[in-house]
């Protein structure tokens, strides 16, 4: 109990509960280095034999100071820096930053560029979801499924290399449009690859939907109710897995206003529901890309901003993991005064802590992975002192 | 077991999904960035556009000494300089950056 008392004083530890002094509990750390975790986050579990009683989290191992670095650079050079906040959803970060800045510099993005942005954003979503589905299979020890998902992910990676120029960080978004066009033979190849990916997903679908071993590890684990999801501010697939139909794409930013889709919602609220949400979103992303290609108009792909950013603006984007938020403040020079980033994992951590109690230690990897934690994106400094000041 | 058999046979006789790397090399696509960046100092007019645009500040242009200092280890290979050079003096060669003894490469403008 002394450790818990001490932990409560340390800033950055969330989710302590009180009044559990009657029994002896063991506290054990999970991470920051653990085979299951792709990135360093420390979770401390209070366990009663095999059962989790309470969980707390400690982040801050990979803080990189990107927000501060954004203030030192030219605002157009920041795009490449913001992309590096998260490797997997790099285009979304660039898109969100550019959307915020386009409000400040009064730039109307050409129609074709908006469609291209949607295509790349959905390609990022495919990349992230396929990676996550593989990682989940790996976390439960289902190695062959992990390899099959990652094999099919290569289609997406090759497309990113062909269209963007790099396998991971594609750097195609700039303030005012995009840098590259997808047309002609490349567009045909793109569409064919999407159909091929759909065929491969159809082959893997029975494993996700029917396999008893897969279901045994996921069904009923890490339950998060509808009310809790709303109360704790869950975003993205975590919220949608609990029945909350929350999707920023419905706001119709960029070309999403021209595309018809409905958010994938599952009502069960367990790890399996979140898996299904992500699995169906793979199909949804493929359909969105094909539809975007069908109705994409011809025209310019970028316009040059003519003035320096002045004033404040916010932008929101639906990332693979949930809602991404950028706040940008300019002061009329080529440098920004403040950039604030809020990534979806930060919003999902309270939900994660609410999911864990009541389950066994062996379920920890699956439940922790079910929110798709992206820790390096989350690391922003907020010093909350004892008196509540920031 | 009977249901597994077709899958097992198929996996046994199909080609592997991976490439046998040291023997077969996968060529990058022509659209790929991340190649070696070379400055053509005959064409360069030392306008400093690349220095202003470079996101990680890997290029330093000194108009007085007539040199360009380029740090390939800082470079993120975004090709902003290649696309924006008005003189087309910066080129991406189809090769990867070789290992080097010095971190910075210094290019001198030839005297006329």
């Amino acid at each position: 109990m002394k450790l818990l008392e001490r932990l409560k004083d340390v800033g950055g530890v969330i989710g302590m509960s009180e009044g559990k002094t009657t029994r002896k509990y063991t506290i054990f750390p999970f991470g920051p280095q653990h085979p299951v975790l792709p990135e360093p986050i420390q979770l401390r579990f209070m366990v009663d034999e095999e059962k989790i009683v309470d969980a707390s989290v400690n982040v801050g191992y990979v803080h990189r100071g990107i927000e501060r670095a954004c203030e030192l650079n030219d605002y157009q050079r920041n795009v490449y820096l913001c992309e590096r906040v998260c490797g997997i959803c790099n285009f979304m970060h660039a898109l969100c930053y550019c959307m915020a800045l386009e409000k400040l510099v009064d730039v109307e993005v050409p129609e074709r560029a908006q469609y291209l942005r949607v295509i790349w954003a959905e390609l990022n979503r495919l990349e992230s979801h396929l990676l996550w589905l593989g990682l989940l299979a790996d976390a439960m020890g289902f190695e062959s499924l992990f390899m099959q998902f990652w094999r099919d992910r290569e289609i997406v990676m090759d497309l990113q290399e062909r269209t963007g120029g790099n396998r991971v960080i594609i750097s195609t978004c700039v303030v005012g449009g995009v840098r590259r066009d997808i047309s002609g033979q490349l567009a045909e190849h793109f569409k064919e690859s999407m159909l091929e990916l759909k065929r491969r997903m159809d082959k893997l679908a029975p494993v996700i939907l029917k396999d008893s071993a897969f279901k045994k590890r996921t069904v009923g684990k890490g339950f998060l109710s509808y009310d809790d999801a709303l109360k704790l501010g869950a975003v993205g697939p975590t919220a949608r897995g609990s029945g909350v139909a929350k999707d920023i794409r419905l706001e119709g930013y960029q070309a999403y206003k021209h595309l018809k889709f409905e958010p994938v919602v599952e009502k069960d609220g367990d790890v399996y529901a979140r898996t299904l949400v992500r699995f169906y979103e793979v199909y949804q992303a493929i359909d969105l890309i094909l539809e975007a290609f069908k109705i994409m108009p011809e025209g310019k792909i970028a316009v040059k901003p003519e003035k320096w950013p002045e004033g404040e603006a916010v932008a929101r984007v639906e990332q693979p993991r949930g809602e991404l938020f950028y706040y940008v403040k300019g002061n009329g020079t080529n440098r920004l005064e403040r950039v604030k980033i809020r990534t979806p994992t930060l919003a999902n951590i309270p939900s994660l802590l609410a999911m864990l109690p009541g389950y066994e230690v062996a379920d920890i990897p699956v439940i922790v992975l079910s929110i798709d934690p992206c820790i390096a994106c989350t690391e922003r400094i907020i010093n909350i002192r004892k008196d509540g000041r920031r | 077991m009977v249901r597994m058999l077709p899958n097992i046979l198929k996996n046994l006789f199909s080609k592997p999904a991976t490439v046998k790397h040291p023997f077969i090399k996968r060529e990058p696509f022509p659209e790929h960035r991340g190649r070696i960046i070379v400055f053509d100092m005959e064409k360069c007019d030392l306008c400093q556009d690349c220095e202003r645009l470079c996101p990680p500040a890997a290029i330093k242009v000194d108009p007085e000494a007539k040199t360009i200092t380029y740090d390939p280890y800082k470079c993120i290979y975004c090709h902003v300089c290649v696309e924006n050079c008005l003189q087309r003096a910066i080129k991406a060669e189809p090769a990867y950056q070789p290992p080097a003894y010095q971190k910075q490469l210094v290019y001198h403008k030839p005297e006329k």
Side-chain angles (χ1 to χ4, degrees):
Chain A
M1 281 307 107
K2 260 185 189 168
L3 177 64
L4 269 179
E5 289 298 318
R6 214 183 69 217
L7 276 175
K8 249 188 330 191
D9 294 341
V10 181
V13 178
I14 319 164
M16 283 291 146
S17 64
E18 287 166 20
K20 296 213 173 66
T21 46
T22 45
R23 277 195 70 157
K24 258 196 173 176
Y25 297 111
T26 319
I27 294 174
F28 83 93
F30 179 82
Q33 304 297 332
H34 191 277
V36 161
L37 295 168
E39 284 171 279
I41 178 174
Q42 190 180 44
L43 290 154
R44 282 172 198 234
F45 293 106
M46 190 154 73
V47 289
D48 179 12
E49 308 224 320
E50 282 285 298
K51 215 169 191 189
I52 305 163
V53 179
D54 204 354
S56 72
V57 68
N58 203 354
V59 290
Y61 293 95
V62 275
H63 179 75
R64 294 169 294 171
I66 284 188
E67 283 178 13
R68 174 75 183 129
C70 280
E71 291 161 22
L72 304 173
N73 263 338
D74 196 315
Y75 77 98
Q76 274 160 328
R77 281 152 66 168
N78 275 344
V79 182
Y80 303 93
L81 185 62
C82 287
E83 262 184 337
R84 278 153 179 81
V85 173
C86 179
I88 295 163
C89 37
N90 56 75
F91 188 80
M92 308 271 196
H93 276 274
L95 173 62
C96 199
Y97 175 79
C98 290
M99 273 166 61
L101 266 176
E102 278 150 16
K103 285 177 192 167
L104 294 188
V105 295
D106 296 330
V107 162
E108 184 79 21
V109 182
E111 195 95 320
R112 189 178 174 83
Q114 292 191 10
Y115 277 92
L116 287 168
R117 280 176 172 191
V118 165
I119 287 166
W120 271 308
E122 292 302 318
L123 201 64
N124 260 196
R125 195 180 313 281
L126 279 177
E127 184 200 348
S128 172
H129 281 354
L130 290 175
L131 175 120
W132 180 82
L133 286 161
L135 282 181
L136 180 81
D138 189 41
M140 65 175 72
F142 201 158
E143 292 278 335
S144 70
L145 185 64
F146 157 67
M147 286 176 200
Q148 290 185 40
F149 269 121
W150 280 43
R151 180 188 66 197
D152 299 343
R153 186 170 167 262
E154 280 305 302
I155 296 177
V156 181
M157 306 306 284
D158 281 354
L159 276 179
Q160 291 203 353
E161 188 176 337
R162 284 197 72 164
T163 58
N166 258 339
R167 265 169 70 84
V168 180
I169 292 185
I170 53 178
S171 307
T172 43
C173 201
V174 286
V175 179
V178 288
R179 281 172 65 194
R180 289 192 181 199
D181 200 353
I182 309 175
S183 57
Q185 223 178 0
L186 192 57
E188 290 305 314
H189 173 75
F190 204 119
K191 281 184 247 176
E192 274 167 32
S193 304
M194 282 296 116
L195 293 173
E196 169 69 20
L197 186 65
K198 209 173 184 176
R199 277 196 290 277
R200 298 228 191 148
M201 283 298 112
D202 285 340
K203 276 188 187 167
L204 290 178
V207 185
I208 300 277
L209 302 175
K210 287 179 191 159
D211 191 67
S212 61
F214 189 89
K215 278 192 170 178
K216 215 162 200 177
R217 290 299 305 271
T218 50
V219 174
K221 309 278 193 229
F223 179 72
L224 183 74
S225 68
Y226 178 87
D227 296 332
D228 277 354
L230 280 180
K231 197 173 75 191
L232 297 169
V235 290
T238 313
R240 269 171 264 148
S242 297
V244 184
K246 197 161 135 188
D247 195 328
I248 308 299
R249 285 179 289 174
L250 292 174
E251 283 191 352
Y253 61 87
Q254 302 301 316
Y256 282 113
K257 51 185 173 285
H258 305 302
L259 302 168
K260 285 190 197 89
F261 71 100
E262 281 188 359
V264 184
V265 176
E266 293 284 330
K267 290 201 171 98
D268 295 342
D270 54 3
V271 176
Y272 188 61
R274 275 163 240 146
T275 313
L276 284 184
V277 168
R278 291 199 173 93
F279 190 64
Y280 290 137
E281 274 186 11
V282 170
Y283 282 99
Q284 192 191 41
I286 295 172
D287 290 343
L288 279 172
I289 289 175
L290 292 174
E291 203 191 327
F293 267 118
K294 214 181 276 170
I295 55 175
M296 185 161 66
E298 293 292 319
K300 267 169 45 171
I301 56 164
V303 283
K304 232 179 173 183
E306 307 254 301
K307 61 178 219 181
W308 300 127
E310 192 163 15
E312 295 172 293
V314 293
R316 295 194 297 167
V317 160
E318 181 73 16
Q319 233 194 359
R321 298 174 176 81
E323 176 195 330
L324 173 69
F325 173 92
Y326 265 71
Y327 164 82
V328 172
K329 188 179 178 191
N331 54 359
T333 62
N334 64 344
R335 286 180 193 176
L336 297 169
E337 216 169 278
R338 179 84 173 101
V339 178
K340 167 81 190 125
I341 309 167
R342 201 201 70 165
T343 54
T345 309
L346 188 73
N348 276 335
I349 281 177
S351 319
L352 171 68
L353 296 179
M355 280 172 208
L356 282 160
Y359 296 96
E360 294 197 349
V361 171
D363 294 329
I364 292 174
V366 175
I367 298 174
V368 170
L369 270 186
S370 78
I371 66 154
D372 199 357
C374 187
I375 310 305
C377 322
T378 311
E379 310 269 294
R380 311 264 94 81
I381 282 193
I382 306 170
N383 281 324
I384 300 171
R385 290 190 208 142
K386 250 185 168 179
D387 50 0
R389 272 169 52 210
R390 290 194 168 194
Chain B
M1 187 66 205
V2 180
R3 274 198 298 165
M4 277 157 71
L5 206 63
N7 212 358
I8 293 170
L9 285 175
K10 205 184 124 207
N11 281 346
L12 210 65
F13 295 109
S14 61
K15 271 206 290 184
T18 47
V19 180
K20 287 185 175 146
H21 170 62
F23 309 110
I24 304 162
K25 274 192 181 148
R26 172 184 167 278
E27 282 299 311
F29 299 111
E31 298 89 351
H32 178 246
R33 297 192 314 260
R35 310 295 186 78
I36 184 169
I37 286 173
V38 181
F39 293 79
D40 186 350
M41 293 307 282
E42 300 243 319
K43 284 183 185 171
C44 178
D45 62 351
L46 303 166
C47 68
Q48 291 177 300
D49 264 2
C50 47
E51 184 182 341
R52 252 171 262 132
L53 289 165
C54 182
I59 305 171
K60 288 269 175 302
V61 183
D62 192 344
E64 278 174 14
K66 293 189 177 177
T67 55
I68 289 181
T69 314
Y70 165 63
D71 188 344
Y73 297 90
K74 253 188 185 178
C75 180
I76 58 170
Y77 298 95
C78 59
H79 280 203
V80 167
C81 52
V82 180
E83 283 164 19
N84 286 291
C85 183
L86 291 173
Q87 310 297 325
R88 309 220 170 261
I90 309 174
K91 271 185 262 164
E93 298 271 309
Y96 288 106
Q97 188 70 45
Y101 286 107
Q102 282 119 12
K103 274 202 166 178
Q104 290 179 334
L105 298 171
V106 182
Y107 292 90
H108 292 274
K109 191 165 172 66
E111 297 288 330
K112 273 181 191 164

